[in-house]
Amino acid sequence: MSSRTGSSARGRAIPSALSIYLQSKTISNLSVLCEDPLWSSLRRRLTVVFTSHRLRALHSLTADKCADLVHRIRNEIQQNTYTDLRVLFADFTTDITGCASFGLGGEATLTGHSAMRRVTRHFMAYSMLRGLCWSSIFFCPQLVDVFGFSLFPESATKYFKEIFRTVVEKRGGYDRKIDEPKDLLDALLKIRQESLNDKEEISEDILVAQAAIFVEGGFDTSAGAMTYAIYELAFHPEIQNKLYEELLEAKNQYGVEGLDGNVLAGLNYFNCVIKEVTRKYSSMGWLDRIASQDYRIDDKLTISAGTPVYVNAIGMHYDPDYFPEPNKFDPDRFLPENEKNIKPFTFMPFGEGPRSCIGKRFGLQTVRYGLAHVLLNYEIKPVPDAPTPSQAKIEKRGMFLMPGEPLYVKYIPRCIT
Ligand code: HEM
């Protein structure tokens, strides 16, 4: 299995269904954006947008939203009304991905509402048409072009284009010289300027599509990881305490303001907890590729070029040969002394190879910030009669692995900040 995975990951880059799906929302002519040379050029240019150096520019936005998140939970405790974790964290991640990508601030973390949140809420809702679009995109992509399927209503596309134009104009237009991009939007504008110098025009439509991809590819996946992390921690006080001690030590050393992306990324146990969450709850349970050349597995089986290949990532995450007692939430599997024994290509929460998740660092950064602030301010406990993590239902109709029922926890304020 690992060799097949390795081979597909290393083979010629072919658009995965997720990228087709993500890109189909804002661009009507799907085939144009998925054409390989354009994908390669964009991917190469966009990769630099997500370096830790660039992501540092998002510190104050993310820290502000964390303060809002802590505040929102405080209000909920006072009013004794609680929001489903997935919704709460999607409010938070929508603000961050929306503001970073479109330069437009939102108040969803604090209030649950914003113009961008209306769009992402629509994305989270299921309908028959939506199911048909998804099935076509994944299993019969030819139909996408034939029927002009688009997962977003015209209004969302229009909204994305309008705010993009407005913010670009406010920032001084397309020709403004950008030395140090302050967010993903600036980075996109810089990419356009550089592409013009290279005589390769990247149109406004493509820029808007990319910004929309950042929001849509990032808000729900990151919110899902936060939801399951908080829910598992509520049921595992010993793991929560250990993590809290690590976070507290970092906070005492660097101060709340000093808890930036680099500091949080360097916390060993925190990383183990997040990896274990993404093992148990990989938002994309499977990866898809198309064989670029005939690939011989053994005497009996050769995958011919052009064959769609689905990699059951979550199946491997739950295979006891790779992860003993797979249903157990056990961050220790990822301690350095244990992680080195994990077989290559059996843990792939962000995919693998040239088509792997481009927003991995951004997603992880958002998740780390949000979790750190919640856990430093509140002890998390299960609410009475709540389903345990393994009893909690899974959403059966959605594209991502998400809870199929609202999940709530109890927050006990800690005496700090
Ligand atoms: C915890 C958060 C996230 C998880 C678990 C996740 C997971 C994934 C996975 C499994 C894939 C498919 C990779 C493959 O086929 O090998 C993917 C692709 C992708 N993700 Fe993420 N993602 C997350 C956050 C983000 C964020 C924040 C962004 C946006 C900035 C993003 C943008 C994308 C894009 C654009 C692709 C398609 C890449 C391509 O085909 O070139 N993701 N993600």
Side-chain angles (χ1 to χ4, degrees):
M1 190 66 200
S2 61
S3 66
R4 185 169 56 185
T5 307
S7 122
S8 65
R10 281 190 289 269
R12 190 168 61 84
I14 307 223
S16 70
L18 181 62
S19 65
I20 295 177
Y21 152 75
L22 289 169
Q23 295 173 4
S24 70
K25 292 185 307 297
T26 49
I27 297 291
S28 50
N29 187 355
L30 195 58
S31 51
V32 172
L33 197 53
C34 293
E35 213 177 89
D36 217 38
L38 178 56
W39 173 82
S40 309
S41 160
L42 275 171
R43 173 88 194 200
R44 181 174 44 80
R45 292 175 190 281
L46 286 169
T47 300
V48 298
V49 170
F50 294 100
T51 56
S52 9
H53 172 70
R54 290 277 168 86
L55 290 177
R56 224 172 287 150
L58 299 178
H59 171 75
S60 69
L61 159 71
T62 318
D64 283 355
K65 290 299 154 190
C66 288
D68 285 356
L69 184 59
V70 169
H71 193 139
R72 163 105 170 253
I73 295 173
R74 194 178 311 136
N75 289 345
E76 295 196 348
I77 296 171
Q78 277 163 7
Q79 291 156 14
N80 201 21
T81 53
Y82 295 94
T83 308
D84 166 21
L85 289 176
R86 182 182 171 199
V87 173
L88 176 72
F89 293 133
D91 290 342
F92 170 73
T93 55
T94 298
D95 272 355
I96 293 177
T97 50
C99 191
S101 314
F102 283 93
L104 190 76
E107 291 299 322
T109 311
L110 209 49
T111 65
H113 304 284
S114 74
M116 185 64 80
R117 188 67 179 106
R118 268 202 299 282
V119 175
T120 61
R121 243 178 231 283
H122 183 275
F123 183 75
M124 287 163 79
Y126 181 83
S127 72
M128 286 299 284
L129 178 63
R130 200 169 166 66
L132 191 62
C133 292
W134 287 359
S135 311
S136 304
I137 285 164
F138 280 96
F139 302 113
C140 199
Q142 303 87 326
L143 292 183
V144 174
D145 274 347
V146 173
F147 291 105
F149 279 145
S150 148
L151 289 179
F152 269 81
E154 261 310 294
S155 57
T157 307
K158 214 169 138 231
Y159 169 73
F160 280 140
K161 282 188 179 173
E162 269 171 23
I163 53 169
F164 194 86
R165 273 188 202 143
T166 311
V167 176
V168 170
E169 220 163 89
K170 262 199 186 150
R171 289 191 181 184
Y174 279 111
D175 298 331
R176 175 180 58 102
K177 189 164 166 7
I178 300 165
D179 293 323
E180 198 49 46
K182 68 178 164 87
D183 55 16
L184 302 180
L185 175 64
D186 265 2
L188 286 174
L189 298 180
K190 198 169 156 76
I191 284 176
R192 182 180 149 99
Q193 290 171 359
E194 286 166 359
S195 74
L196 286 176
N197 293 341
D198 296 349
K199 309 237 171 325
E200 177 194 14
E201 187 175 350
I202 293 190
S203 68
E204 185 184 72
D205 255 12
I206 290 177
L207 294 185
V208 177
Q210 291 306 319
I213 287 165
F214 295 159
V215 177
E216 303 308 342
F219 90 95
D220 212 8
T221 45
S222 309
M226 292 178 72
T227 299
Y228 280 120
I230 290 293
Y231 206 65
E232 285 279 6
L233 291 171
F235 285 84
H236 292 94
E238 67 299 344
I239 297 176
Q240 189 182 157
N241 283 342
K242 192 169 165 186
L243 176 56
Y244 175 68
E245 289 304 323
E246 184 181 56
L247 289 168
L248 190 61
E249 200 183 316
K251 189 205 139 233
N252 289 341
Q253 190 176 349
Y254 300 99
V256 181
E257 264 306 301
L259 288 181
D260 61 17
N262 278 347
V263 169
L264 293 173
L267 301 180
N268 192 21
Y269 194 62
F270 199 8
N271 282 326
C272 297
V273 170
I274 292 174
K275 282 183 184 167
E276 180 64 344
V277 169
T278 57
R279 177 192 70 82
K280 275 196 84 180
Y281 307 98
S282 281
S283 45
M284 281 289 288
W286 43 273
L287 312 171
D288 61 305
R289 296 291 189 276
I290 299 170
S292 57
Q293 50 193 306
D294 290 354
Y295 186 81
R296 185 175 171 279
I297 303 249
D298 56 25
D299 288 346
K300 290 190 191 128
L301 180 63
T302 294
I303 299 175
S304 347
T307 308
V309 179
Y310 291 85
V311 180
N312 183 0
I314 194 122
M316 288 190 282
H317 293 186
Y318 275 81
D319 187 332
D321 284 348
Y322 303 136
F323 298 96
E325 292 188 79
N327 290 310
K328 186 173 167 196
F329 184 70
D330 180 12
D332 286 4
R333 309 173 193 274
F334 291 98
L335 288 173
E337 60 271 30
N338 300 329
E339 191 176 26
K340 64 179 191 301
N341 299 322
I342 295 177
K343 255 190 149 172
F345 301 116
T346 57
F347 176 59
M348 299 191 292
F350 292 93
E352 265 300 339
R355 291 271 170 185
S356 67
C357 178
I358 197 171
K360 175 179 173 182
R361 279 194 188 160
F362 180 32
L364 284 173
Q365 173 165 299
T366 306
V367 168
R368 286 192 190 109
Y369 266 81
L371 290 179
H373 283 79
V374 172
L375 293 168
L376 277 169
N377 284 276
Y378 303 101
E379 184 185 351
I380 312 295
K381 295 200 164 181
V383 293
D385 302 325
T388 62
S390 44
Q391 289 165 342
K393 290 186 193 125
I394 299 290
E395 166 62 65
K396 294 199 183 93
R397 299 171 306 178
M399 190 183 72
F400 295 135
L401 190 161
M402 291 289 159
E405 61 184 312
L407 297 176
Y408 302 95
V409 291
K410 201 164 151 193
Y411 306 93
I412 317 284
R414 295 191 187 266
C415 300
I416 63 152
T417 62

